[in-house]
Amino acid sequence: MKKANKIRMRETIVSYCFLAPVLIFFIIFVLVPMAMGFVTSFFNYTMTDFTFVGIDNYVRMFQDDVFIRSLINTLIIVVGSVPVVVLFSLFVASQTYEKSAFTRSFFRCVFFLPVVTGSVAVTVVWKWIYDPLSGILNFALKEGGVIEQNISWLGDKKYALWAIIIILLTTSVGQPIILYIASMGNIDKSLVEAARVDGANEFQVFWKIKWQSLLPTTLYIVVITTINSFQCFALIQLLTSGGPNYSTSTLMYYLYERAFKLSEYGYANTIGVFLAVLIGIISFIQFKIFGNDVEY
């Protein structure tokens, strides 16, 4: 008995030794910065000042018109992209799964390509597409008689945010499609065949059998896509820099602007804390909505 306990203790120590580098890295570069960000959100932390101000930064945040505008833009991006990503990915995956192995691999490659392509390369292509003078989008719409004159897609506040959302959609559907196709391989085919024999139509088969099996994957996709949408930054920085007139500014971009352009680190950390809490609340709600029906 004592020998078994010694062996178990030795294995535990060895396991923690292997985990130690990762744990140390996680503590130093994740937990410590998070704690510092929360603490400094209560300070007027700039290049020349470090004064405790209590909750003044939080009060200022909700009185800041640009912050409110950035919050609304972020929520529009989330609400406008997450449902479309989920539904489109599910549709493409369901249509692709029934095809041959070669066809499935081809479509997975096509839709996943924007995910692994660098953000700068994707931005350059879309900037050319949206170019108000020589962009292919204006050319195609004018040739089709949809518009009469060129539109500045990224320079007009009526179109800029929606132009960003379209780009975000193209770079967000790749992983969900891959996950849905893989998840469909775990659906019990005997249940599907039995339902069809009993006279169930395709919608009933999907809703009663396939959808139940896809719920864990859907929950993961919804949560991850929501978090990624809240953290939309690279496209904004590279294409519009929050303009025109902050019409495309998001919480992440406004945080970056306050921290690295205006050196207001305390106020920027306040925005970061608010964003983390907001994402946590929404993720909790999503788990409550989808998680009750999920069987792992």
Side-chain angles (χ1 to χ4, degrees), residues 241-275:
S241 296
N245 195 25
Y246 289 101
S247 61
T248 60
S249 177
T250 61
L251 290 179
M252 280 296 297
Y253 181 80
Y254 191 48
L255 185 157
Y256 159 80
E257 183 180 67
R258 285 291 166 180
F260 299 103
K261 289 187 177 181
L262 303 176
S263 300
E264 295 183 355
Y265 305 114
Y267 186 50
N269 285 332
T270 303
I271 299 173
V273 171
F274 173 82
L275 180 60

Side-chain angles (χ1 to χ4, degrees), residues 200-255:
N201 56 40
E202 288 302 318
F203 177 78
Q204 291 172 325
V205 170
F206 172 81
W207 185 251
K208 296 296 184 180
I209 299 175
K210 294 183 179 180
W211 177 245
Q212 302 303 317
S213 299
L214 296 175
L215 273 177
T217 303
T218 301
L219 174 61
Y220 173 81
I221 290 173
V222 168
V223 172
I224 295 301
T225 306
T226 300
I227 294 173
N228 291 338
S229 299
F230 267 109
Q231 295 177 339
C232 181
F233 168 74
L235 293 177
I236 306 297
Q237 183 193 28
L238 295 171
L239 288 173
T240 65
S241 296
N245 195 25
Y246 289 101
S247 61
T248 60
S249 177
T250 61
L251 290 179
M252 280 296 297
Y253 181 80
Y254 191 48
L255 185 157

Side-chain angles (χ1 to χ4, degrees), residues 31-92:
L31 293 183
V32 172
M34 287 175 61
M36 291 176 62
F38 176 74
V39 171
T40 54
S41 69
F42 297 99
F43 287 79
N44 181 30
Y45 180 20
T46 64
M47 294 290 290
T48 58
D49 189 19
F50 190 73
T51 307
F52 180 77
V53 294
I55 63 171
D56 286 357
N57 283 334
Y58 290 91
V59 174
R60 172 191 172 188
M61 181 176 65
F62 288 106
Q63 296 175 344
D64 187 347
D65 292 337
V66 178
F67 168 80
I68 299 300
R69 178 72 260 179
S70 301
L71 174 60
I72 293 173
N73 290 339
T74 303
L75 293 176
I76 290 174
I77 289 175
V78 173
V79 175
S81 62
V82 174
V84 176
V85 168
V86 174
L87 294 176
F88 180 78
S89 302
L90 182 59
F91 172 76
V92 172

